[in-house]
């Protein structure tokens, strides 16, 4: 779950704190302009606000990363199949991806403070409850609720920061800390999840709960209240959000259950038809709604469409790959959760070391060419994993892939953020950024559903053997990455033939990418 910190502009004074405590960090602005923190001498109250907002993003990353490590232990304890386990991941990312755009609009129309605090409270309470559950359906439902709450928390929290800190050094420093906390949550969650799972799989579910409730208690005091005008239900594209969410849930469910029911069974076909009908309904709603979640005209931008499709493939292939490898090394090879977590760390180290240098790379190669090299690294890394046998040592079957994944994330994630928002008008920067993040999450859910269906159709794991259907599932992951390479080559060819400069980075696109440098570390968890 990652966010592009696009350029944001201060909102009007009606959506800002009504009062600002006297401080050397504030100065009076002209009428109609928000009073913002402008220098770097921050008061304890400002630091407290920053800790609360950054802490919520940290918990979002921590939670998803920890639960990923704990999946095999959950499966053994609750006797869940791979198809059931994937819903613990898919429930979260579908909830997040489906409500991200609605969450951003709600925070703008209602109150950033209210939306943020309510969403973090829901996240914390759901964490505490889920730690005590043993029912599969209830567990997945709470994962969906937690993902949806993150879809409201993240845009509200980011808006709080961008309407508290003025553009320039103050905002850059705040967003740098924010992105670092998000990346740290994913990275630390990998190791912490391994340690907690050694105690018991319920521990990773429980940990975020009390911390989230503490953040709410502090945030209630330090996040300033906002005035708001009248808001009507017509301002919310609620039916658009519900139709899109229903369509995606049915699509994932249909793919996962198809091996059991049969791909040509009446039930499977009916589910696919209803999913398509709901997506068509979403498109009709967006075309006619006065305040749509997605202005479909923005999809006429070829660079944005390419960035979204490539992001879908990038995160989809990675989430599916991590799921396969997590089950393989823990269920078949008998690795402990902490050993598995450490095995993935080289990718994160590569990203951390390379992130300070991504700006010059983008400036030299351009976003599209950088994306191409990143996708090639992914495809090669996954292809190398096809050599795997149960007797191969880590340095032969897994380390080369981890190093290439680190290179792939380091090159492609910032470039995708830059390309998705470059050339987009200021008032639609948030929409472009939200679409990219939605594509990331939906890619994770849909590609994961496909590989889970393959694994589930081939039986149960056997000790010291490859997972049944594992090679086929890896071929799917490789194919998705190769498709992204072909897509990028096609985009480069067509753009150059039509005389579009795709290898130059507009100033604001480069700024967006630089703002996301630390953020994409989270994906290589």
């Amino acid at each position: 779950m990652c966010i592009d910190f696009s350029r944001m502009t201060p909102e009007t004074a009606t959506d800002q704190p009504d009062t600002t405590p006297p401080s050397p960090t504030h100065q009076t602005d002209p009428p109609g302009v928000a009073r913002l923190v402008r220098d770097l001498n921050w008061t304890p109250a400002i630091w407290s606000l920053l800790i609360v907002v950054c802490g919520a993003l940290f918990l979002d990353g921590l939670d998803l990363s920890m639960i990923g490590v704990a999946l095999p232990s959950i499966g053994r304890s609750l006797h869940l199949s791979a198809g059931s386990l994937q819903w613990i991941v898919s429930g979260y990312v579908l909830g997040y991806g489906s409500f991200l755009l609605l969450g951003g609009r709600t925070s703008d129309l209602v109150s950033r403070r209210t939306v943020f605090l309510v969403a973090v409270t829901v996240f914390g309470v759901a964490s505490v409850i889920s730690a005590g559950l043993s029912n599969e359906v209830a567990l997945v439902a709470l994962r969906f609720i937690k993902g949806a709450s993150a879809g409201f928390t993240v845009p509200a929290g980011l808006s709080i920061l961008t309407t508290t800190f003025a553009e320039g050094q103050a905002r850059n420093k705040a967003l740098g800390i924010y992105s670092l906390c998000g990346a740290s949550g994913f990275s630390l969650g990998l190791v912490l999840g391994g340690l907690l799972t050694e105690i018991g799989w319920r521990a990773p579910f429980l940990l975020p709960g009390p911390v989230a409730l503490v953040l709410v208690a502090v945030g209630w005091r330090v996040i300033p209240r906002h005035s708001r005008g009248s808001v009507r239900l017509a301002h919310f594209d609620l039916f658009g959000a519900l139709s899109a969410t229903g369509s995606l849930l049915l699509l994932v469910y249909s793919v996962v259950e198809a091996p059991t029911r049969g791909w040509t069974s009446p039930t499977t076909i009916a589910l696919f038809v209803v999913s398509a009908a709901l997506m068509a309904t979403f498109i009709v709603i967006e075309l006619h709604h006065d305040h749509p979640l997605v202005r479909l005209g923005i999809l006429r931008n070829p660079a944005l469409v390419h960035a979204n499709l490539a992001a879908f493939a990038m995160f989809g292939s990675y989430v599916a790959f991590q799921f396969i490898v997590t089950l393989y090394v823990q269920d078949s090879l008998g690795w402990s959760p902490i050993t598995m977590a450490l095995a993935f760390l080289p990718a994160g180290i590569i990203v951390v070391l390379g992130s300070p240098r991504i700006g010059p790379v983008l400036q030299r190669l351009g976003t599209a060419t950088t994306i191409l090299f990143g996708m090639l690294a992914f495809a090669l890394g996954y292809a190398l994993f096809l050599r795997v046998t149960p007797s191969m040592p880590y340095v032969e079957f897994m380390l080369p892939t981890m190093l290439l994944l680190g290179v792939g994330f380091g090159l492609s994630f910032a470039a995708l953020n830059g390309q998705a928002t470059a050339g987009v008008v200021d008032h639609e920067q948030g929409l472009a950024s939200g679409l990219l993040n939605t594509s990331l999450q939906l890619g994770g859910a849909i590609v994961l559903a496909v590989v889970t269906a393959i694994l589930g159709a081939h039986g149960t794991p056997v000790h010291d053997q490859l997972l049944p259907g594992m090679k086929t599932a890896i071929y799917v992951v490789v194919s998705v990455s190769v498709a992204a390479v072909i897509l990028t080559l096609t985009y480069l060819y067509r753009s150059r033939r039509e005389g579009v400069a795709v290898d130059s980075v507009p100033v604001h696109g480069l700024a967006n990418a630089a703002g996301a440098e630390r953020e994409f570390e989270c994906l290589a968890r």
Side-chain angles (χ1 to χ4, degrees), residues 305-316:
V305 171
H306 167 252
N308 277 266
L309 292 175
F312 180 100
M314 179 192 73
F315 196 55

Side-chain angles (χ1 to χ4, degrees), residues 26 48 74 108 111 134-135 159 206 235 268 271 274 318 336 372 482 506:
H26 295 80
S48 297
I74 298 170
D108 285 339
S111 163
S134 296
N135 180 272
S159 294
L206 176 63
H235 290 145
T268 300
L271 288 172
V274 174
Y318 175 74
S336 68
L372 175 63
V482 171

Side-chain angles (χ1 to χ4, degrees), residues 229-247:
S230 60
V231 177
R232 295 183 294 109
L233 186 61
H235 290 145
F236 296 92
D237 186 6
L238 186 59
F239 289 109
L242 292 177
S243 59
T245 301
S247 172

Side-chain angles (χ1 to χ4, degrees), residues 33 61 76 95 114-115 118 130 155 165 217-218 224 245 269 304 313 319-320 336 347 361 384-385 399 414 469 484 497:
V33 179
R76 289 190 293 270
T114 300
V115 169
V118 169
S130 63
F165 298 92
V218 177
T245 301
I269 294 173
L304 182 144
V319 169
S336 68
V361 172
L384 284 176
F385 197 82
L399 182 60
R497 188 182 65 179

Side-chain angles (χ1 to χ4, degrees), residues 118-373:
V118 169
V120 177
T121 300
V122 172
F123 185 93
V125 172
S127 297
V128 174
I129 296 174
S130 63
L133 295 177
S134 296
N135 180 272
E136 172 192 344
V137 175
L139 196 59
V140 172
L142 280 174
R143 293 294 295 167
F144 181 83
I145 291 171
K146 289 181 69 173
S149 70
F152 284 85
T153 297
V154 172
L158 185 57
S159 294
I160 289 170
L161 290 188
T162 56
T163 54
T164 299
F165 298 92
E167 283 192 274
Q169 283 188 322
R171 185 178 296 179
N172 291 341
K173 180 180 178 181
L175 292 181
I177 296 171
Y178 185 70
S179 61
L180 181 60
C181 286
S184 299
F186 278 97
S187 301
L188 181 59
L190 191 67
V191 179
L192 188 57
L195 291 171
L196 290 175
T197 305
E198 297 285 357
I199 300 172
W201 65 264
R202 297 183 187 277
F205 279 87
L206 176 63
L207 178 66
V211 179
L213 297 178
V214 170
L215 291 177
V216 171
V218 177
W220 191 266
R221 297 177 60 87
V222 301
I223 299 177
R225 297 181 181 275
H226 296 71
S227 60
R228 58 170 182 166
S230 60
V231 177
R232 295 183 294 109
L233 186 61
H235 290 145
F236 296 92
D237 186 6
L238 186 59
F239 289 109
L242 292 177
S243 59
T245 301
S247 172
L248 294 168
L249 283 172
L250 281 178
L251 175 62
V252 173
Y253 179 77
S254 302
V255 172
V256 173
E257 293 295 319
T260 302
R261 300 178 185 273
W263 287 94
T264 58
S265 73
T267 301
T268 300
I269 294 173
L271 288 172
F272 280 126
V273 169
V274 174
S275 174
L278 285 173
M279 184 53 64
T281 301
F282 169 74
I283 293 173
V284 171
I285 291 173
E286 299 311 285
L287 288 173
H288 295 89
H289 202 283
D290 291 334
H291 306 280
L293 285 180
V294 180
R295 187 186 67 82
L296 297 180
I298 198 173
L299 299 180
R300 296 191 185 98
N301 182 337
L304 182 144
V305 171
H306 167 252
N308 277 266
L309 292 175
F312 180 100
M314 179 192 73
F315 196 55
S317 61
Y318 175 74
V319 169
F321 176 77
Q322 184 182 10
F323 182 79
I324 296 166
V325 175
T326 298
L327 294 181
Y328 171 61
V329 300
Q330 293 193 52
D331 286 348
S332 293
L333 300 186
W335 290 13
S336 68
I338 187 62
T339 302
M340 176 265 163
L342 293 174
F344 273 80
L345 276 185
I349 293 173
I350 291 292
V351 176
V352 171
L353 294 177
S355 62
R357 299 168 179 81
I358 191 62
V361 172
L362 285 172
Q363 189 66 50
R364 182 177 180 84
L365 297 180
T367 54
T369 303
T370 305
I371 291 169
L372 175 63
F373 286 127

Side-chain angles (χ1 to χ4, degrees), residues 368-369 372 488-497 502-503:
T369 303
L372 175 63
T488 305
L489 285 171
T490 303
Y491 171 73
L492 279 165
Y493 172 75
R494 293 185 62 180
S495 298
R496 287 173 176 170
R497 188 182 65 179
V502 295
D503 281 338

